[in-house]
Amino acid sequence: AVLLLALGGVGAFAFMKQRAQASRHSWLRPLKVTVVLVSPQPVSAEEQQAWADGATRLEHWFTAEASRNHMKLEAPVTVTLAPQVVIAEAPSPPASTGEWLADSRAALEFRAQLEALAPSTGDVRVIVALRPHGAHRVEGVGEASGSVGLVDGTLGDTKVTLELIAVAHEVMHLLGARDGYDENGHALPRGIVEPDVGFPQRFAEVMVGEVPLRETEG
């Protein structure tokens, strides 16, 4: 009886989670995205304002793309910056060992670390880890169809252009989108915005991140 109750509870949880994901993927309602800044030291008011303005820019970009693709929702995504900066050292993604069990365990531990930094608010959360200047390049990771992602940013940067692109990219991963580039970072056929135009292209697909100039250059 105890095992049946446990099985029923797990089944109900899985059903509710699947239903919530289906609602997100079919754009039945606006997706609520929360951006959480995590830094090992205090962040200036100027930098926080740059990220607040950036959240608005991202929201406008999603709205413009919805209009361009004739979506029913006028504003498919709302982007909110968490009011408080989390003072902590954000984790880095674990390196792959090639062993399924070890990699799965490491991935679960990594997700738990991210969850601890950003309590559940909205549909998805993107943690922006503000690293010391020059210690990294802007990059991110998001679990496919999941609810939490990580983007590395530069501490002290107030332009945040590359970081915003990375946030948009990871949000799309959380909705199930796949990367549109090959192992060298160049666009695959599905990552070409205007396939009938040829090269050079005019635009970058958000799942690629560069404007293709030729098949192996961007």
Side-chain angles (χ1 to χ4, degrees), residues 122-204:
D123 295 301
V124 300
R125 292 147 289 160
V126 178
I127 294 171
V128 178
L130 299 176
R131 314 283 190 187
H133 182 66
H136 73 294
R137 60 190 179 91
V138 174
E139 54 188 6
V141 59
E143 55 181 357
S145 300
S147 60
V148 62
L150 172 70
V151 168
D152 277 351
T154 303
L155 185 62
D157 180 22
T158 56
K159 296 187 183 299
V160 304
T161 302
L162 292 178
E163 286 91 338
L164 290 178
I165 295 172
V167 169
H169 181 97
E170 299 311 327
V171 167
M172 296 306 296
H173 270 315
L174 297 175
L175 290 169
R178 297 180 296 159
D179 285 324
Y181 55 83
D182 61 21
E183 63 273 10
N184 296 313
H186 302 305
L188 295 167
R190 67 170 180 269
I192 301 293
V193 177
E194 299 176 308
D196 296 334
V197 172
F199 295 103
Q201 288 279 301
R202 297 186 299 164
F203 305 106

Side-chain angles (χ1 to χ4, degrees), residues 45-60:
E46 183 183 10
E47 190 172 357
Q48 292 185 57
Q49 186 59 51
W51 273 101
D53 294 341
T56 301
R57 287 165 59 192
L58 267 182
E59 198 169 290
H60 289 169

